[in-house]
Every structure is written in structure tokens, then in C-alpha cells.
Amino acid sequence: MAQDKIPSSVLFCCDHNAIRSPMAEGMMKKFYGRAAYVQSAGVKNDMEVDGFAIAVCDEIGVHLAAHRSRSFDEMQDWGDDLSQFDLIVALSPASQRVALEMTRCAHLDVEYWPIMDPTGLAEGREARLAAYRQTRDQIETRMLDRFGPPIPPQG
């Protein structure tokens, strides 16, 4: 059963919490509902959620427009301790390093999913959207492989 594969709390992280980790957070919430507490963070918080990320996630019913980017430091300032998460999924090498450093005294899993950063890979709107879709689809594939098929909405 899929619920057996889903940790009770998951943190997705990447470099800026503007593309990959918000996509993953939104997809996890859509696919698995309340099976897990899900958050996302970045190494830095110096960008808003990317408009192309919002557009390609809207295509699959994942709405990111209201997401507010935050960093690991802000999470700690707001009282979110990384050790409260059962699983941290790092979507970039920099976020993997920070997650491992910040959790070296905690007994929790940090997984690395090498997900492509689509920024700057293409010129023109359609080519850029295609790159962002590729990133979205990489996250979706890894998520379904790791956590199993989506849980039908309740009610």
C-alpha cells in the first residue's frame, strides 16, 4: 500500500525555493493529500516563485502562485526544526550539502534526487516552458517511484 512508503513529514529543498522544491511540495500535496506534512525550503531565499514553474504546474492542477519562498535559516527562525522531518529530499547539490550539514546530529534520511535546474537552458517562451516541463516531469517520476501511486482524494 502506498501509505507505507510515505513518511509522515517531508522537506524538499533546492537552491532558491523558487522552482524545483516548490514544484515538489505542490505535487506531493496534490498526489498524497494529508498523508504527509510537506514543506520546502532553499539554501537562499533571494527569488520569488518562478512564473514558468507556476505555469507548468498549473497544467497538472498544482497551484504554486501563492507559494512564498523561504530559506533554511528562515525555517529555523520560524521554529521549524529540520530534525522534525522524517525525510529531507535535496533536489540540488548545494541543498544536499546544507541539509547534511544541518542534520548531522539528527537521525533522519536525506535523499538526493538530481533534478535539472531549467533556468537559462532555453531561449523563447515555448522552449523555456518545455525545459520547465521536463523538470516537473523528472520530479513527478522520482516522486511516484519513491512514494507510490497518488492517493485518491477523500470525500
Side-chain angles (χ1 to χ4, degrees):
M1 185 173 232
Q3 280 95 334
D4 298 342
K5 298 170 106 178
I6 301 172
S8 61
S9 57
V10 181
L11 174 70
F12 292 100
C13 55
C14 65
D15 294 346
H16 303 279
N17 195 221
I19 300 170
R20 291 169 287 182
S21 56
M23 282 183 172
E25 177 185 350
M27 282 189 259
M28 184 86 183
K29 288 176 177 174
K30 178 173 176 58
F31 296 162
Y32 305 107
R34 293 196 171 93
Y37 173 73
V38 183
Q39 289 293 320
S40 64
V43 174
K44 297 183 278 246
N45 170 20
D46 55 356
M47 301 168 71
E48 285 303 312
V49 176
D50 187 285
F52 287 103
I54 292 169
V56 301
C57 283
D58 276 346
E59 295 171 353
I60 62 167
V62 173
H63 305 293
L64 301 183
H67 180 83
R68 293 293 161 252
S69 298
R70 63 189 191 153
S71 67
F72 285 118
D73 290 341
E74 285 172 316
M75 282 187 67
Q76 290 188 309
D77 291 347
W78 298 339
D80 267 338
D81 181 3
L82 293 188
S83 66
Q84 78 186 20
F85 291 95
D86 296 320
L87 174 64
I88 297 177
V89 178
L91 305 172
S92 69
S95 65
Q96 180 189 29
R97 281 192 303 276
V98 172
L100 288 171
E101 177 66 24
M102 293 179 80
T103 61
R104 69 180 181 276
C105 297
H107 295 286
L108 59 98
D109 292 328
V110 176
E111 292 182 9
Y112 174 55
W113 297 0
I115 302 295
M116 173 185 83
D117 180 355
T119 54
L121 291 182
E123 293 295 320
R125 179 172 173 74
E126 285 311 310
R128 290 183 73 186
L129 283 169
Y132 278 72
R133 285 184 190 108
Q134 188 177 351
T135 295
R136 176 199 67 201
D137 295 347
Q138 284 180 347
I139 294 168
E140 182 174 355
T141 298
R142 289 298 295 252
M143 189 171 290
L144 296 176
D145 287 349
R146 174 65 172 81
F147 303 120
I151 297 170
Q154 302 298 310

